Amino acid sequence: HCASCHGINLEGQPNWRTFLENGRLPAPPHDETGHTWHHADGILFDIVKRGTAAVVGGNYQSDMPGYGESLVDDDIVAILSYIKSRWPKEVRDRHDLINRNSQK
């Protein structure tokens, strides 16, 4: 599900910060060069389950669908765990801090 857009090496699509002609952003990388690690686990889980547009709300448009109909919660947790396992230790540590602060 993920690699078709985010890349087999989590590299994302080219120019992922530049809006496409349809007004949507390309898939970001999920490695340390992207912004995935800036979000707490709860947000990441929700995005995978419901899709980016559903989480952001308003009129936001995204090509990232929700996978709640095809993936069980344990699958989503496993996917996010794999992504995080590829981050360098310092990025994982910063992400852990984001998670701790999001629970306050």
Side-chain angles (χ1 to χ4, degrees):
H1 296 288
C2 308
S4 62
C5 294
H6 294 282
I8 195 164
N9 294 310
L10 309 177
E11 71 274 14
Q13 294 175 329
N15 303 313
W16 63 275
R17 291 183 173 138
T18 304
F19 284 93
L20 302 169
E21 289 181 16
N22 66 5
R24 298 175 181 189
L25 288 167
H30 286 319
D31 62 15
E32 70 277 5
T33 67
H35 63 82
T36 305
W37 62 269
H38 295 128
H39 302 291
D41 285 342
I43 296 292
L44 296 175
F45 181 92
D46 206 23
I47 288 170
V48 176
K49 187 164 186 138
R50 299 190 309 128
T52 303
V55 173
V56 173
N59 293 324
Y60 188 82
Q61 297 291 311
S62 172
D63 289 329
M64 172 66 188
Y67 289 98
E69 298 288 320
S70 57
L71 296 172
V72 297
D73 290 358
D74 286 346
D75 291 337
I76 296 171
V77 170
I79 290 164
L80 294 173
S81 295
Y82 170 74
I83 289 169
K84 293 190 291 182
S85 76
R86 303 282 308 270
W87 296 338
K89 182 180 180 336
E90 62 272 8
V91 171
R92 288 192 315 270
D93 290 345
R94 289 169 68 185
H95 184 256
D96 289 344
L97 181 61
I98 290 167
N99 279 325
R100 283 193 298 277
N101 289 336
S102 75
Q103 296 171 2
K104 292 181 180 181

